[in-house]
Amino acid sequence: MRMPKSPCAAALVLVASFFMCFVLLRFLTRQVLVEGFGMSNAFTGVVLFDVKALNEAPTDMTDWASLYPFDKESQTESASTGSIESHGILTTYLSAVDSIEARIEKYTTDTLPFRNDLVELANAYEAAVRWDYVSYSEYNGVTNLSDGYLTTVSPGIDVSEQADATIEFASHCKEMGIPFAYACAPCKVCKYEDPGVCGVTDFSNQNADDFLGRLGEAGVRTLDLREALHSEGLDHHGLFFRTDHHWLPRTGLWAAGKVVSLLEDCGVSVDASRVDPSLFREEVYRGWFLGSQGKKVTLAKADPEDISLLYPTYETSLRYKVRSRSIDERGDFGVMYDMGCVSERDYYGKDPYAAYIYGNQPLEVIENEAPGLDGHVLVVHDSFGNVVVPFMSMACARVDSLDLRSFNGSLRRYIEVERPDAVIVLYSPIMLGNEDVFRLA
C-alpha cells in the first residue's frame, strides 16, 4: 500500500489500518477460538480484553416453527408473495450472509477496541462546543427533551398494513371464542406536553393515533395507556428513565393494573387486588443504570440513574419456564429475575432492565400456584412488556409471554394448542415501524 506524502494523512492511514487489523483479529479470535473451539486462555483474554466474550446469554436454538408450525394456507401465502428466499439452498445462503454481516457490523461498532473511550471523548467534545444537533434521518439518533430527558425520534409511517393484520388477527381470535385486545404503551414523547417535538420531529404519537383509530373503526377492543396516564394527571416524562426509552418498573406495575382491569372487562377471571401498587416494595440499585440512550451519548453527556426491582409484600409461589434459557424452576417472585444483570455496576456491559423476566425471550410461561387464582392469558409484547408481565402474573393462574421478534413459530397455532382465556398485544408506538411483529399468523 502506497503511503500518503502528508504526515497527517499517513498517520490517519496507519491508525485506520491498526483498527481494521485489530477488529479482524478479534473477530477471528471470538468466532474460531472462543466459539468454535471453546478456548479461553491468556491469548484470548488479551485480544478480547474489553469484550465480555464468555458472559453473554446463550443463543436460543429452539425450533419454534416445528413446535408450533404454520398451516399450509399461511405457507402458501408466504410463497405467493414472491418469497423464493423461504426455501432451500437460497434460504441457507441468505441466512449465512445475514449472520456474517450482523457479526461484522457488531465487531466494527460495539466491540471496536477502546470504543467506549473514543465515543466518550467525542461526546465530551460535542458537549464542550454545545453541539446538540441530531439529523432527522439519523438512525436511532438521541436528542434531549426540554427537561433533560433523552429520547429518540420516529418518522411518520403508513400503518395500514399493521392495522389490517391486527384486525384480521382479532377476528381470528373472535372465531375461536377468545377475547382479544390491543394495549398501546406510551413512548417518552408526550403528545400533550411536548408540542415542540411531537408532530414536528417525532411522529410516534401520530402513528399510534392513526393505528388505534383504524382498530376502533373495526370494532377491535383497545387500551390506550397514553390517554390513561394523561387523564390521571401523571407526569409523563417522570414515568420513564431519563437515559432509556423504557418506562420505569413502577410504571409497568401501574400498566399491569390497567391491563388486568381490561381482562376483567373481557370476562376473564383475575384477581386485580394482587396488583395494587401499595403491595409491592422496591429494592433500589442507586446509580446503577445507564439506559440505551445514555449508552449512545456515553457518560460524557448522561448521568447514571437508579433502577429498582419490585417484590410483592405477600407470599408468592410460581413455576417459571423459559425454554430458550433452559429454565424450569419453582420459587417466589424473585425466580423471574436474572440477577446477573444487576450483579455489578457496569454501565456499558450490562443492562439492569433485562433483569425483568430475563430480558427479551421468545416465550416464557409463568404459572402462579397461589390458591384460588384462575385465568390464563397470552401477552404478545415488546420490551415494554418485560416490566408488565411479571406483575400481571400475580393476578392470573397462568401468563404466557411471547415476543414475536424472536419467536419464529406460528402465533395462531400456539393459541390453538395452548387455548388461553384471552390474548393481549402490548406494543409501544415504536413497534409500528417493525412490520415483522405484526405478522400475526
Side-chain angles (χ1 to χ4, degrees), residues 241-426:
F241 290 103
R242 285 184 171 270
T243 66
D244 197 74
H245 62 289
H246 292 115
W247 50 14
L248 300 170
R250 271 283 174 187
T251 314
L253 173 57
W254 168 86
K258 300 299 181 185
V259 176
V260 168
S261 295
L262 174 65
L263 291 170
E264 285 185 313
D265 293 341
C266 292
V268 181
S269 178
V270 292
D271 186 352
S273 67
R274 294 171 64 86
V275 289
D276 183 339
S278 66
L279 299 179
F280 289 78
R281 64 178 178 84
E282 289 185 290
E283 186 173 299
V284 183
Y285 293 77
R286 301 201 178 279
W288 213 261
F289 182 53
L290 185 68
S292 60
Q293 294 161 345
K295 285 181 172 67
K296 288 181 180 295
V297 302
T298 72
L299 292 169
K301 286 188 174 181
D303 295 323
E305 53 189 322
D306 301 343
I307 188 170
S308 299
L309 299 185
L310 304 182
Y311 295 86
T313 56
Y314 50 83
E315 186 176 346
T316 55
S317 178
L318 306 173
R319 183 180 180 186
Y320 180 54
K321 295 182 287 186
V322 190
R323 183 171 182 141
S324 57
R325 296 292 294 270
S326 301
I327 296 173
D328 186 349
E329 298 180 6
R330 281 184 164 87
D332 59 15
F333 189 89
V335 76
M336 295 185 286
Y337 285 138
D338 181 359
M339 299 304 294
C341 293
V342 292
S343 61
E344 61 179 315
R345 186 187 284 111
D346 185 349
Y347 296 128
Y348 298 115
K350 288 187 177 294
D351 178 13
Y353 184 85
Y356 281 86
I357 59 172
Y358 284 74
N360 302 323
Q361 300 299 325
L363 176 66
E364 302 172 78
V365 176
I366 309 164
E367 299 174 358
N368 195 326
E369 299 176 336
L373 285 181
D374 198 3
H376 172 198
V377 181
L378 168 63
V379 186
V380 181
H381 63 91
D382 58 13
S383 54
F384 274 66
N386 294 356
V387 293
V388 178
V389 165
F391 306 121
M392 285 182 60
S393 72
M394 294 297 95
C396 309
R398 173 176 164 180
V399 173
D400 298 0
S401 163
L402 197 150
D403 189 335
L404 288 176
R405 293 172 298 178
S406 49
F407 180 86
N408 62 359
S410 168
L411 174 59
R412 298 191 185 192
R413 180 59 178 163
Y414 184 87
I415 295 171
E416 291 170 359
V417 172
E418 305 298 336
R419 303 296 301 188
D421 297 323
V423 177
I424 302 291
V425 172
L426 170 64

Side-chain angles (χ1 to χ4, degrees), residues 82-147:
S83 182
I84 61 172
E85 307 154 340
S86 59
H87 302 286
I89 298 175
L90 183 58
T91 302
T92 304
Y93 169 75
L94 292 175
S95 178
V97 170
D98 289 343
S99 176
I100 292 172
E101 287 181 349
R103 289 173 183 268
I104 291 175
E105 182 178 357
K106 179 179 178 61
Y107 274 83
T108 53
T109 54
D110 294 347
T111 58
L112 183 73
F114 311 109
R115 174 187 181 275
N116 292 329
D117 297 327
L118 293 171
V119 176
E120 278 192 7
L121 284 172
N123 280 287
Y125 170 76
E126 288 186 1
V129 299
R130 298 184 179 182
W131 177 265
D132 191 32
Y133 173 74
V134 177
S135 169
Y136 178 74
S137 61
E138 180 181 345
Y139 171 71
N140 221 15
V142 178
T143 189
N144 286 288
L145 295 172
S146 58
D147 53 3

